[in-house]
Amino acid sequence: MTESDIYHRPDTLADALALLSDTPLRIAAGCTDLFPATERKALPSPVLDITGIADLRGIKRGPDGVTIGATTTWRDIIDCDLPPAFDGLKLAAREVGARQIQARGTIAGNLCNASPAADGVPPLLTLDAEVEMQSAAGARRLPLSLFLTGPRATAWAPDEILTRIHIPAHASDGEGFFLKLGARKYLVISIAMTAARIVLEDRIVKWAALAIGACSPVAIRLPEAETALTGAPLDPMRITDAMIADHLSPIDDMRADAAYRRRTALELVRRTLTPLVRERAA
Ligand SMILES: Cc1cc2nc3c(=O)[nH]c(=O)nc-3n(C[C@H](O)[C@H](O)[C@H](O)COP(=O)(O)OP(=O)(O)OC[C@H]3O[C@@H](n4cnc5c(N)ncnc54)[C@H](O)[C@@H]3O)c2cc1C
């Protein structure tokens, strides 16, 4: 057996971490990013398949918030009963590929692959998500905004597994929404995507969280636009181009050019808020 034939599928996290502490291994979950990137029938390096670790899959709600296991699939998220604050994440899950990809692709795979166009990132940013990574030496937690360090780059270390995503209790407040702009309606990689989570009190915006992806090296929150919404009835027109455009650094690629991304960003953010206005008025 050559090194490239080695395939591990442990049942426990402890076994997986022990293997990782010994030798570098390629972590595999749903493989929906790994296989297209590999362009071969088999993954080339020694593989650590983490989908046999039951503890890493599933969504738990507790007093400290919501915990999403690393190998939780997009389908699991769609099927889970979660507060309206998670509606943006659920909408994003429905737009990741088609049903087959949603059944295999995992939330941690989406984050670790670190594509600027990863649909899971903007809604998780509006939920103030933190990621937990474990190695044989222990665990650490990082805000998602610090975990993602650039296109295809993260704070992950080779002896670590991203084990869980934590959503703090306060982030279950309010309602969320997600909007994706693509060259067609379905099965498309985002040209840009936006997420919002709005907390209203007596019809006044008490808290606003807005995020945009695929318009900068990593998806970002939009603090000036959030401030502009806060303390008044929810009105998407309070957001101006300057509150958004100054934060973006889009690129030209096969899906759209930078100028198009800049032009559409404001409209996309406003449209992400519009359903939340209508729902409150009903
Ligand atoms: C046809 C098609 C359509 C797609 N459409 C979309 C789309 O619309 N939107 C979108 O955002 N994505 C899309 N994707 C990309 C992909 O499906 C998602 O990013 C998915 O969530 C990846 O999860 P996975 O479990 O398959 O990751 P994998 O392919 O198994 O892994 C991806 C990367 O993450 C690492 N990794 C995985 N889990 C962990 C962990 N727990 N700890 C540390 N490292 C880990 C792997 O080593 C690898 O580098 C599409 C892919 C395909 C093939």
Side-chain angles (χ1 to χ4, degrees), residues 110-192:
N110 194 245
L111 302 184
C112 293
N113 187 57
S115 162
D119 286 323
V121 177
L124 285 172
L125 288 175
T126 66
L127 290 165
D128 294 336
E130 291 187 349
V131 297
E132 179 181 309
M133 281 163 293
Q134 284 196 39
S135 70
R140 63 181 176 129
R141 260 160 93 149
L142 272 183
L144 177 58
S145 55
L146 297 183
F147 174 72
L148 299 166
T149 55
R152 311 279 175 193
T154 68
W156 169 79
D159 63 343
E160 289 179 320
I161 294 176
L162 194 165
T163 47
R164 288 173 192 89
I165 294 138
H166 296 277
I167 314 294
H170 75 260
S172 287
D173 292 347
E175 290 178 54
F177 202 74
F178 171 86
L179 208 54
K180 170 167 170 170
L181 175 67
R184 54 180 184 268
K185 181 71 187 99
Y186 297 107
L187 199 58
V188 68
I189 302 295
S190 295
I191 291 172

Side-chain angles (χ1 to χ4, degrees), residues 27-34 36 50 70 74 95-97 101 105-106 108-110 112-113 117-119 156 161-162 180 188-189:
I27 298 173
C31 289
T32 61
D33 276 318
L34 273 181
I50 57 170
W74 297 112
E95 299 220 30
V96 174
I101 297 293
T106 64
N110 194 245
C112 293
N113 187 57
D119 286 323
W156 169 79
I161 294 176
L162 194 165
K180 170 167 170 170
V188 68
I189 302 295

Side-chain angles (χ1 to χ4, degrees), residues 28 37 39 43 57 59 61 98 109 148 152 166 189 206 213-214 219 235 244 249 272 279 282:
E39 296 179 342
L43 299 178
R57 184 166 178 180
I59 302 175
R61 290 174 72 175
L148 299 166
R152 311 279 175 193
H166 296 277
I189 302 295
K206 188 177 153 202
D235 178 4
I244 295 176
S249 46
T272 308
E279 274 162 31

Side-chain angles (χ1 to χ4, degrees), residues 7-264:
Y7 170 79
H8 302 279
R9 191 169 188 267
D11 295 333
T12 68
L13 181 60
D15 287 349
L17 295 176
L19 286 163
L20 260 187
S21 69
D22 265 4
T23 177
L25 297 166
R26 175 164 299 274
I27 298 173
C31 289
T32 61
D33 276 318
L34 273 181
F35 271 122
T38 303
E39 296 179 342
R40 294 193 215 165
K41 284 190 178 167
L43 299 178
S45 57
V47 171
L48 176 64
D49 179 345
I50 57 170
T51 59
I53 306 169
D55 278 356
L56 288 188
R57 184 166 178 180
I59 302 175
K60 291 188 185 128
R61 290 174 72 175
D64 294 334
V66 174
T67 303
I68 307 177
T71 57
T72 302
T73 65
W74 297 112
R75 186 74 238 169
D76 295 337
I77 291 169
I78 294 164
D79 289 343
C80 188
D81 185 19
L82 288 164
F86 288 75
D87 286 357
L89 184 63
K90 281 178 171 259
L91 286 166
R94 287 188 179 282
E95 299 220 30
V96 174
R99 280 173 175 252
Q100 295 90 336
I101 297 293
Q102 291 159 14
R104 294 292 309 169
T106 64
I107 190 160
N110 194 245
L111 302 184
C112 293
N113 187 57
S115 162
D119 286 323
V121 177
L124 285 172
L125 288 175
T126 66
L127 290 165
D128 294 336
E130 291 187 349
V131 297
E132 179 181 309
M133 281 163 293
Q134 284 196 39
S135 70
R140 63 181 176 129
R141 260 160 93 149
L142 272 183
L144 177 58
S145 55
L146 297 183
F147 174 72
L148 299 166
T149 55
R152 311 279 175 193
T154 68
W156 169 79
D159 63 343
E160 289 179 320
I161 294 176
L162 194 165
T163 47
R164 288 173 192 89
I165 294 138
H166 296 277
I167 314 294
H170 75 260
S172 287
D173 292 347
E175 290 178 54
F177 202 74
F178 171 86
L179 208 54
K180 170 167 170 170
L181 175 67
R184 54 180 184 268
K185 181 71 187 99
Y186 297 107
L187 199 58
V188 68
I189 302 295
S190 295
I191 291 172
M193 66 292 204
T194 44
R197 182 174 62 86
I198 302 294
V199 183
L200 294 174
E201 203 172 76
D202 298 330
R203 302 177 82 87
I204 301 296
V205 177
K206 188 177 153 202
W207 182 258
L210 300 172
I212 186 163
C215 289
S216 45
V218 294
I220 50 165
R221 288 275 292 264
L222 296 165
E224 282 175 58
E226 292 172 357
T227 305
L229 292 177
T230 308
L234 182 56
D235 178 4
M237 300 310 282
R238 293 177 75 90
I239 300 178
T240 64
D241 195 40
M243 293 173 192
I244 295 176
D246 289 354
H247 298 275
L248 307 183
S249 46
I251 56 163
D252 297 335
D253 66 12
M254 63 196 291
R255 289 185 279 280
D257 62 27
Y260 179 73
R261 286 189 162 98
R262 269 191 195 285
R263 270 205 313 279
T264 51

